[in-house]
Amino acid sequence: MKKFIPHFLALAGALSVQAKIVTQTVEYKQGDTTLEGYLAFDDALSGKRPGVLVVHQWLGLTGYEKQRAEQLAQLGYVAFCADIYGKGVRPKETGEAGALAGKYKSDRALLRARVTAGLDVLEKNELVDPKHIAAIGYCFGGTTVIELARSGADIAGVVSFHGGLDSPTPADGKKIKCKVLVQAGAEDPFQKPEDLTAFESEMRDNKVDWEITFYGGAVHSFTQPDPGFINSGAHYNEKADQRSWRAMKDFFAEIFK
Amino acid sequence: MKKFIPHFLALAGALSVQAKIVTQTVEYKQGDTTLEGYLAFDDALSGKRPGVLVVHQWLGLTGYEKQRAEQLAQLGYVAFCADIYGKGVRPKETGEAGALAGKYKSDRALLRARVTAGLDVLEKNELVDPKHIAAIGYCFGGTTVIELARSGADIAGVVSFHGGLDSPTPADGKKIKCKVLVQAGAEDPFQKPEDLTAFESEMRDNKVDWEITFYGGAVHSFTQPDPGFINSGAHYNEKADQRSWRAMKDFFAEIFK
């Protein structure tokens, strides 16, 4: 069994050849609500290693997020998909998904409590180095990880992929301790200019360590190949997907030093 | 002597240990004007390899750009610093630098001719694979490499570091064949919002393959540690410097495949 070596120091492919990815469904609680997350790690590695929380899109925890967790495990991280909605709450269509995402976006305190419960599970995992933790999220999850940062979470960084950036409490920007990487579609019609401006002010005013990349030609959900996500304003973009994943890996290389 | 291996596949440090960086001053012409560029490559490598053109800031070709060329040579590329102003034209102070940069910004045809002359030198170098060429530039040079793209240059990509994005002929965006990466300071006071908006429209309208990253906390000249560049709107930012250099390497890994 070999020790964890950061992926950016390992030869391309070397880890994946020997990797033995283990996945587990994990039940946990926030208050009285039962949540069902998903853990993935490489059992061929020994020792503590960085942990990455993965927060789902508006459809709840699906195969998409699980696959991302497995990709992160291939890179040597312990990945845990949080469940914000609750065990068994997995919307089947966009109307229900929109209502659920809207519920949590309108109740940021509850959203923070739910994502923090997921973070706790990850932090307490015996394989995780608690000083090296990040959170990533897609769409609704991209909003959620920034909300986690705004809660003052003591983690190394968050990466938001095509997430909404609005905040009902911009003063909470002062609580942000971690680094923030935002990855956005330059043509995302769901990204309101006024939200972007407010977000930039929030980061600037609070001297947050942040950066934002806009991918040309990319609209909403640019990392999501599932055809169910395609509509007039959302579409998979392979190039932006690959570039943003690489940027995330670079970010991890920096924050997990 | 070993073959060129892209830096992103080589083990960290392996190339630099064995590197034998050779540098040469190169005289060349654009029309009747004599220009003086600077070439750098690793003589410990054999075979053709990607070439990178480096375009200078408003002070003309200085030690700063030469050092960047040497860093690129360490990565295995053939790097050539273009000289836009002409042999011996090396402003000593910012008034003269501003006048010179302004002259070329006001005469984009001449600017394109000058940068293209530098590109020709690089393309004809026997070590360069002419199908794998990129151009990078800083400040004035960042403007220049985008102008090179707008000229229809048949290269793989350009990277602009804290460069102006304005164009007197936005319709030239349709000539852009290469990929465009813009790296900007989120707080750069010299980046006019209207120029940024126009640039985005130019890229969008012409379906250019482009992306832009804004580094939080970074102002103008964020890659330039020389204290002579520091003023109320310009300052070195080590983090943004390192992140943008890494993003450039990722970009090269993609376009030089």
Side-chain angles (χ1 to χ4, degrees):
Chain A
M1 192 175 285
K2 62 195 178 60
K3 291 277 284 182
F4 167 72
I5 302 168
H7 64 86
F8 46 95
L9 290 181
L11 271 176
L15 280 179
S16 58
V17 169
Q18 300 168 34
K20 185 183 163 195
I21 305 303
V22 172
T23 64
Q24 297 168 357
T25 297
V26 179
E27 262 194 27
Y28 61 108
K29 288 222 169 198
Q30 183 273 314
D32 294 332
T33 306
T34 300
L35 308 161
E36 190 178 80
Y38 183 82
L39 184 75
F41 60 94
D42 181 355
D43 203 34
L45 299 176
S46 66
K48 288 184 184 293
R49 62 205 81 161
V52 181
L53 191 71
V54 181
V55 186
H56 56 73
Q57 301 168 95
W58 70 343
L59 282 176
L61 177 46
T62 68
Y64 175 75
E65 291 79 19
K66 292 177 180 176
Q67 189 215 327
R68 292 294 183 186
E70 289 160 25
Q71 284 179 266
L72 290 163
Q74 290 276 355
L75 295 175
Y77 302 122
V78 176
F80 182 63
C81 298
D83 172 17
I84 304 297
Y85 292 167
K87 183 179 177 180
V89 185
R90 302 291 184 263
K92 290 284 178 293
E93 43 81 34
T94 55
E96 189 188 354
L100 268 166
K103 170 187 162 185
Y104 289 93
K105 282 188 183 173
S106 303
D107 186 347
R108 302 285 172 122
L110 179 58
L111 181 57
R112 290 181 187 185
R114 287 285 164 93
V115 68
T116 301
L119 179 62
D120 287 346
V121 173
L122 180 65
E123 278 177 340
K124 286 176 183 149
N125 186 291
E126 60 182 8
L127 293 177
V128 172
D129 170 2
K131 290 189 176 165
H132 283 156
I133 289 185
I136 73 170
Y138 298 88
C139 299
F140 170 74
T143 304
T144 303
V145 296
I146 291 176
E147 208 56 41
L148 179 64
R150 288 172 178 139
S151 77
D154 191 16
I155 56 177
V158 298
V159 184
S160 171
F161 295 84
H162 42 81
L165 302 172
D166 64 296
S167 172
T169 52
D172 281 356
K174 68 178 178 297
K175 299 184 195 169
I176 297 178
K177 295 176 194 156
C178 67
K179 300 186 182 187
V180 175
L181 171 61
V182 177
Q183 314 233 48
E187 317 302 338
D188 188 338
F190 302 111
Q191 192 69 268
K192 292 182 192 163
E194 59 270 30
D195 289 345
L196 188 57
T197 302
F199 175 77
E200 289 176 352
S201 296
E202 181 187 351
M203 297 297 111
R204 180 178 296 128
D205 295 348
N206 294 294
K207 300 194 189 314
V208 176
D209 183 335
W210 71 289
E211 63 180 284
I212 187 166
T213 295
F214 294 95
Y215 296 97
V219 293
H220 197 58
S221 296
F222 61 79
T223 67
Q224 171 57 271
D226 182 341
F229 276 78
I230 294 176
N231 61 45
S232 62
H235 207 290
Y236 182 61
N237 183 311
E238 186 180 9
K239 202 174 291 176
D241 179 21
Q242 292 177 349
R243 288 178 180 177
S244 58
W245 186 257
R246 193 187 289 146
M248 177 204 73
K249 291 198 289 185
D250 286 344
F251 182 72
F252 288 168
E254 180 188 312
I255 69 175
F256 292 152
K257 261 198 294 209
Chain B
M1 192 174 283
K2 61 195 179 57
K3 291 278 283 182
F4 166 73
I5 302 168
H7 63 86
F8 46 95
L9 289 181
L11 270 177
L15 279 178
S16 57
V17 170
Q18 301 168 34
K20 186 184 162 195
I21 305 303
V22 172
T23 64
Q24 296 168 359
T25 297
V26 179
E27 262 194 25
Y28 61 108
K29 288 220 167 202
Q30 183 273 314
D32 293 331
T33 305
T34 300
L35 307 162
E36 191 178 79
Y38 182 83
L39 185 74
F41 59 93
D42 182 355
D43 203 34
L45 298 176
S46 66
K48 289 185 184 293
R49 61 204 83 161
V52 181
L53 191 71
V54 181
V55 186
H56 57 73
Q57 300 168 94
W58 68 343
L59 283 176
L61 177 45
T62 67
Y64 175 76
E65 292 79 18
K66 292 177 180 176
Q67 188 215 326
R68 292 295 184 186
E70 288 159 27
Q71 284 179 265
L72 290 163
Q74 290 277 356
L75 296 175
Y77 301 122
V78 176
F80 182 63
C81 298
D83 171 17
I84 304 296
Y85 292 168
K87 183 178 178 180
V89 184
R90 302 292 184 262
K92 290 282 177 292
E93 44 80 35
T94 56
E96 189 188 355
L100 267 166
K103 170 186 161 185
Y104 289 93
K105 282 188 183 173
S106 303
D107 186 348
R108 302 285 172 122
L110 179 59
L111 180 58
R112 290 183 187 185
R114 288 284 164 91
V115 68
T116 300
L119 180 62
D120 288 346
V121 173
L122 180 65
E123 278 179 340
K124 287 175 182 150
N125 185 291
E126 62 182 9
L127 293 177
V128 172
D129 171 1
K131 289 190 176 164
H132 283 155
I133 289 186
I136 73 170
Y138 297 88
C139 299
F140 168 75
T143 304
T144 303
V145 296
I146 291 176
E147 208 57 40
L148 179 64
R150 288 173 178 138
S151 77
D154 191 16
I155 57 177
V158 298
V159 184
S160 171
F161 295 85
H162 43 81
L165 302 173
D166 65 296
S167 171
T169 53
D172 282 356
K174 68 178 178 296
K175 298 184 194 169
I176 297 177
K177 294 175 194 157
C178 67
K179 299 186 184 188
V180 175
L181 171 61
V182 176
Q183 315 231 48
E187 317 302 337
D188 188 338
F190 301 111
Q191 192 70 267
K192 293 182 191 161
E194 60 268 31
D195 289 346
L196 188 57
T197 302
F199 175 76
E200 288 176 352
S201 295
E202 180 187 351
M203 297 297 110
R204 181 178 295 128
D205 295 348
N206 295 293
K207 299 194 189 317
V208 175
D209 183 334
W210 71 289
E211 63 180 285
I212 186 166
T213 296
F214 294 95
Y215 296 98
V219 293
H220 197 57
S221 296
F222 61 80
T223 67
Q224 172 57 272
D226 183 342
F229 277 76
I230 294 175
N231 61 45
S232 62
H235 207 291
Y236 181 61
N237 183 311
E238 186 180 9
K239 204 173 290 176
D241 179 20
Q242 292 177 350
R243 289 178 180 177
S244 59
W245 186 256
R246 192 187 289 145
M248 177 203 73
K249 291 199 288 185
D250 286 343
F251 182 72
F252 288 169
E254 180 188 313
I255 69 175
F256 292 152
K257 260 195 296 207

